Amino acid sequence: MIRLIAAVDRQMGIGKNGGQPWKLPDDEAYFAQMTKSNGGNILVGRSTFETFKGPLPERTNYLLTSHNEPIAGVELVHDLSAFLESFKDDLWIIGGAKVYQEVIDLGKADELYLTYIDAEFGCDRFFPKFGDEFKEIQPGDWQEQNGFKFRFAKFAKI
């Protein structure tokens, strides 16, 4: 099972100037809880990984990169398509925009976990359009934190 997880604003924005332009501790806790579940395997692109302070703890970290320089606690992935074909366990795709797009374009995404934030942040990175191939199966209730309304939603491939 390949799952994509992201928080998005009204315009499907996921990032701005190399970071996330909002602070929602409940979403951060949700992200940690979800990505530690179902095997705890995560795949992240190089730009997104560089915003972290190292590998995410309590998870197996896979890094999609063209670089060959080893990173402690991280397994390097150079060919996304081949990796997804050969990977037999559950996997969380955690960004960034290009990685999400490629996984969707390859038809490999099984589920989407999106946190919808009812605000606009002028983002410069966006979650890709996923059209009618996914159906929302768990629409979450609206919550509020730090002045922002948000909800968790789960989509499954039809």
Side-chain angles (χ1 to χ4, degrees):
M1 177 82 62
I2 297 175
R3 299 171 176 95
L4 282 61
I5 187 167
V8 299
D9 73 0
R10 285 185 202 133
Q11 302 299 316
M12 298 299 283
I14 59 172
K16 182 177 180 179
N17 300 324
Q20 204 171 47
W22 52 79
K23 181 76 172 160
L24 291 172
D26 286 353
D27 179 56
E28 292 170 11
Y30 175 78
F31 173 87
Q33 173 192 1
M34 298 310 291
T35 59
K36 290 176 185 177
S37 69
N38 299 300
N41 298 303
I42 60 171
L43 174 73
V44 62
R46 183 71 182 211
S47 296
T48 302
F49 180 79
E50 289 175 354
T51 67
F52 302 160
K53 293 176 174 74
L56 296 183
E58 301 176 50
R59 285 155 277 201
T60 304
N61 288 248
Y62 295 93
L63 173 61
L64 181 62
T65 182
S66 60
H67 299 145
N68 291 316
E69 180 181 318
I71 300 171
V74 175
E75 187 169 323
L76 303 181
V77 173
H78 299 294
D79 181 332
L80 179 62
S81 182
F83 176 76
L84 295 177
E85 281 297 322
S86 66
F87 199 82
K88 300 303 178 205
D89 295 324
D90 287 339
L91 181 66
W92 290 94
I93 309 297
I94 64 169
K98 291 178 186 176
V99 179
Y100 292 136
Q101 183 71 61
E102 195 169 345
V103 172
I104 288 174
D105 288 349
L106 288 168
K108 295 296 186 182
D110 297 304
E111 294 179 340
L112 311 176
Y113 289 73
L114 299 178
T115 300
Y116 285 104
I117 303 168
D118 189 23
E120 292 182 26
F121 296 91
C123 290
D124 53 21
R125 297 287 181 264
F126 298 88
F127 194 85
K129 295 183 185 338
F130 50 89
D132 295 337
E133 64 189 274
F134 291 89
K135 178 181 180 181
E136 189 170 6
I137 59 170
Q138 286 181 353
D141 295 328
W142 287 101
Q143 305 173 46
E144 191 166 337
Q145 187 174 47
N146 290 344
F148 299 111
K149 289 177 63 178
F150 67 97
R151 70 178 181 92
F152 303 117
K154 178 180 174 183
F155 293 79
K157 191 176 203 172
I158 298 174

